[in-house]
Amino acid sequence: MVLQFSHLAILALLLLVSLTDSASIEENFVQCLSFHSDKAAPFYKSIYTPKTASFNNILNSTAQNLRLLVPSAPKPEFIFTPLIDSHVQVAVICSKKLGIHMRVRSGGHDYEGLSYVSEIESPFIIIDLAKLRSVNIDIKEKTGWIQAGATIGEVYYKIYEKSRVHGFPAGLCTSLGIGGHITGGAYGSMMRKYGLGADNVLDARIIDANGNILDRETMGEDLFWAIRGGGGTSFGIILWWKIKLVPVPETVTVFTVTKSLEQGATRVLHRWQEVAPYIDNDLFIRVIIQPASAANKTERTIITSYNAQFLGGVDRLLQVMKESFPELGLARKDCFETSWIKSVLYIAGYPNDTPPKVLLEGKSTFKNYFKAKSDFVREPISESGLKGLWQRLLEEDSPLMIWNPYGGMMSKFSESDIPFPHRNGTLYKIQYLSLWQEGDKNAAKHVDWIRKLYNYMTPYVSKFPREAYVNYRDLDLGVNKKNSTSYIEANAWGNKYFKDNFNRGESITVACYWASHVSPERCTIAWAWRTLQF
């Protein structure tokens, strides 16, 4: 009786406080939630409006790209943080019933802020899954059921709690929300050994556009195919992933070796392109490239840092490197033998003495104003091409490039096994970033620079299409027009993210039926063969 009275009293209070149209949206949503929700799981403290003291903290909590949080960026009418699966289900039903545009956020890493900003639909709300973060690991079955709001770092730690010889091949950045991470593919330092995170998913639970909760059996194989790499919320809201654990050795070796231009960086990087995709599958060597102060401290140079994880001990690693990549000059003193979980921390940039439990905090170590792009490379870039790249990097204040090697298991999957198509023949992927700290002041200068760099790279990267990674969304490639984007228009950029897999979505009608409601921009970077409205 007390709970019932409290429920009614709070609802009545919420219905009285509104004097504005925006509050009316909240009122109607709360009324709808109240009608449909499980009364044993109250949701009232899970709604944050701009008048709520913690609204900005919640909005900013997981957002990676501060460029989308400046005062001029559109803000949601309110943020709803569900406490149980059925809250998400009811939120979908109510937003559909009321015609409220909804954005869904699990980790907030999306590069164009599509999970917390809408440039097309106004007003809009955010469904933030941050409180749905259960991780249930079954070592005997070598599986785990992971709730969408958990970070990949939390998943790694929960596996580590149960076993020192199991892992999961997913992201290098440990604050990634696993809900959206796997929907784009989920690559990481073990992808050359085991493929993507999405290649190692066994089942899922999602909410479709009608508010139904579906698993692999009830959604069918077409939809199960689509959600593993087809783009965040393009086909529904992910509630849970069932993942397959993979074996890892008790001893893992990591290293970082840096070469500047003065130390032959151009020659070594040219050789890396020929070696890294074909070297032992236990070895992942990425390259982080950025300007730095030269030895004389009055000029800048380019440094290339070879950041690696090897699934084995230092002795075998040194033998592999001696045979395949002696140009790097790796020495025993450069190497650090450790456990798999500590190698996760190392690759994520944590100091060597960081305790693994930090992964439970789910905090991002990367928050910046930035613009990013991506490319896939199928032929080594010439040394003259690299030198032209260095000239352009030195023109920008704070640029960053990360080159991630492919090959190994990544070449053994068919391009059509899941929506992620960047497989056999891909040598490596490039991520470009321009970072700045002055907010929206001079932002156009940095965005213009990265667009020019992208144009410069055209002759050196994949063609027909020029491929891009959907989890590094780039709205320069194309954006939906409200209610008016055709399949032909969308194909111009959908083909870049998904190649021929884009066309398979034409038979999966739920794609844009869902996406046009949740995120019109996403509709066209997933399977945008038509735009339907609820």
Side-chain angles (χ1 to χ4, degrees):
M1 291 297 293
V2 173
L3 286 174
Q4 185 178 13
F5 173 78
S6 175
H7 170 83
L8 293 173
I10 294 173
L11 179 58
L13 179 63
L14 286 168
L15 294 177
L16 288 173
V17 298
S18 172
L19 295 174
T20 66
D21 288 341
S22 62
S24 178
I25 293 173
E26 181 197 351
E27 284 178 1
N28 292 334
F29 190 77
V30 168
Q31 269 189 308
C32 185
L33 288 181
S34 300
F35 180 78
H36 291 284
S37 287
D38 179 0
K39 303 303 186 292
F43 58 83
Y44 306 111
K45 293 184 179 180
S46 296
I47 295 179
Y48 303 85
T49 74
K51 294 181 180 179
T52 307
S54 55
F55 175 80
N56 284 330
N57 287 339
I58 298 296
L59 178 62
N60 299 351
S61 58
T62 61
Q64 285 276 294
N65 196 344
L66 302 180
R67 176 168 63 91
L68 286 311
L69 291 176
V70 295
S72 59
K75 301 295 186 293
E77 295 297 309
F78 59 87
I79 303 168
F80 179 42
T81 57
L83 301 175
I84 56 176
D85 288 355
S86 63
H87 282 174
V88 187
Q89 186 178 25
V90 172
V92 170
I93 293 169
C94 290
S95 61
K96 177 180 177 180
K97 180 178 180 180
L98 299 171
I100 302 171
H101 183 67
M102 180 173 65
R103 295 291 164 122
V104 183
R105 180 166 76 176
S106 63
H109 279 237
D110 51 330
Y111 280 10
E112 298 282 13
L114 298 183
S115 64
Y116 50 94
V117 172
S118 175
E119 297 285 355
I120 292 180
E121 296 285 350
S122 179
F124 71 99
I125 65 174
I126 294 174
I127 309 299
D128 192 320
L129 306 181
K131 294 180 181 178
L132 301 177
R133 54 198 320 131
S134 295
V135 179
N136 303 314
I137 301 298
D138 187 333
I139 291 298
K140 183 177 179 181
E141 296 295 325
K142 299 182 179 62
T143 62
W145 273 105
I146 317 299
Q147 214 166 13
T151 66
I152 193 61
E154 289 175 297
V155 175
Y156 293 155
Y157 185 82
K158 293 296 184 179
I159 297 171
Y160 159 75
E161 279 189 317
K162 297 288 185 70
S163 169
R164 302 300 193 264
V165 292
H166 290 87
F168 183 63
L172 296 85
C173 183
T174 57
S175 59
L176 286 159
I178 199 166
H181 181 42
I182 292 178
T183 61
Y187 78 89
S189 58
M190 294 200 294
M191 68 179 183
R192 302 189 65 256
K193 179 74 171 181
Y194 296 114
L196 305 170
D199 295 322
N200 291 275
V201 166
L202 302 171
D203 204 342
R205 294 194 185 109
I206 73 168
I207 297 178
D208 71 8
N210 294 314
N212 301 309
I213 296 181
L214 309 172
D215 61 11
R216 181 173 183 173
E217 181 179 1
T218 53
M219 77 176 78
E221 288 303 303
D222 273 348
L223 186 50
F224 184 64
W225 174 86
I227 63 176
R228 292 172 297 145
T233 67
S234 293
F235 300 91
I237 298 178
I238 303 295
L239 291 175
W240 297 81
W241 291 112
K242 185 180 183 182
I243 63 172
K244 177 178 68 177
L245 307 186
V246 300
V248 297
E250 290 187 0
T251 300
V252 172
T253 306
V254 293
F255 68 81
T256 301
V257 172
T258 298
K259 299 288 186 181
S260 67
L261 295 184
E262 295 74 19
Q263 295 170 317
T266 305
R267 176 183 56 83
V268 175
L269 185 60
H270 184 266
R271 178 60 180 157
W272 173 90
Q273 298 176 90
E274 301 171 334
V275 170
Y278 306 108
I279 206 165
D280 191 301
N281 291 356
D282 287 334
L283 180 55
F284 172 89
I285 312 174
R286 66 173 179 168
V287 190
I288 302 170
I289 305 169
Q290 58 194 324
S293 297
N296 61 19
K297 302 196 184 288
T298 60
E299 298 178 359
R300 295 205 301 171
T301 187
I302 298 294
I303 58 170
T304 56
S305 295
Y306 295 80
N307 181 230
Q309 179 197 67
F310 179 67
L311 300 175
V314 65
D315 290 336
R316 187 163 76 88
L317 168 62
L318 290 172
Q319 187 61 36
V320 168
M321 291 294 287
K322 180 180 179 180
E323 293 173 357
S324 300
F325 194 17
E327 293 85 356
L328 186 61
L330 182 69
R332 185 176 293 270
K333 64 178 177 59
D334 302 316
C335 303
F336 175 55
E337 285 189 334
T338 187
S339 62
W340 175 75
I341 193 67
K342 294 285 278 187
S343 78
V344 165
L345 292 166
Y346 179 91
I347 293 291
Y350 288 95
N352 288 341
D353 58 352
T354 304
K357 206 162 187 178
V358 73
L359 295 172
L360 295 179
E361 296 177 4
K363 291 182 179 179
S364 172
T365 57
F366 182 93
K367 276 183 179 284
N368 287 278
Y369 298 89
F370 69 89
K371 172 66 181 175
K373 290 181 173 292
S374 62
D375 263 318
F376 291 84
V377 179
R378 291 177 167 266
E379 297 288 340
I381 300 173
S382 65
E383 289 196 28
S384 63
L386 294 176
K387 290 175 181 177
L389 176 59
W390 306 152
Q391 293 173 8
R392 285 157 178 82
L393 289 176
L394 290 170
E395 293 171 356
E396 176 65 351
D397 297 339
S398 185
L400 178 68
M401 296 180 71
I402 303 174
W403 294 15
N404 289 287
Y406 275 49
M409 184 57 71
M410 290 296 291
S411 295
K412 296 181 180 179
F413 287 93
S414 165
E415 286 194 351
S416 61
D417 279 352
I418 63 172
F420 181 98
H422 318 290
R423 301 290 193 171
N424 195 26
T426 298
L427 299 181
Y428 57 94
K429 178 181 66 192
I430 297 177
Q431 178 179 186
Y432 312 88
L433 297 108
S434 176
L435 305 100
W436 61 93
Q437 295 299 324
E438 62 269 29
D440 51 3
K441 181 182 178 182
N442 295 325
K445 179 188 78 169
H446 303 293
V447 172
D448 183 60
W449 173 84
I450 199 170
R451 288 170 177 165
K452 289 179 179 177
L453 177 68
Y454 188 74
N455 288 338
Y456 168 78
M457 292 295 289
T458 301
Y460 304 109
V461 298
S462 60
K463 301 172 180 64
F464 312 116
R466 183 174 183 175
E467 301 168 42
Y469 180 38
V470 70
N471 267 6
Y472 296 158
R473 288 187 182 92
D474 178 8
L475 295 184
D476 287 350
L477 302 182
V479 62
N480 198 34
K481 303 169 187 174
K482 185 176 180 179
N483 302 333
S484 63
T485 303
S486 69
Y487 169 72
I488 294 175
E489 289 174 307
N491 187 68
W493 55 90
N495 194 240
K496 295 177 185 291
Y497 290 111
F498 304 111
K499 301 179 73 172
D500 289 342
N501 292 333
F502 183 82
N503 297 318
R504 178 171 175 178
E506 193 166 357
S507 65
I508 306 174
T509 60
V510 70
C512 270
Y513 181 62
W514 173 267
S516 61
H517 175 57
V518 176
S519 172
E521 294 98 326
R522 285 178 178 156
C523 186
T524 58
I525 58 176
W527 281 264
W529 63 281
R530 57 177 152 171
T531 52
L532 302 176
Q533 292 290 332
F534 291 123

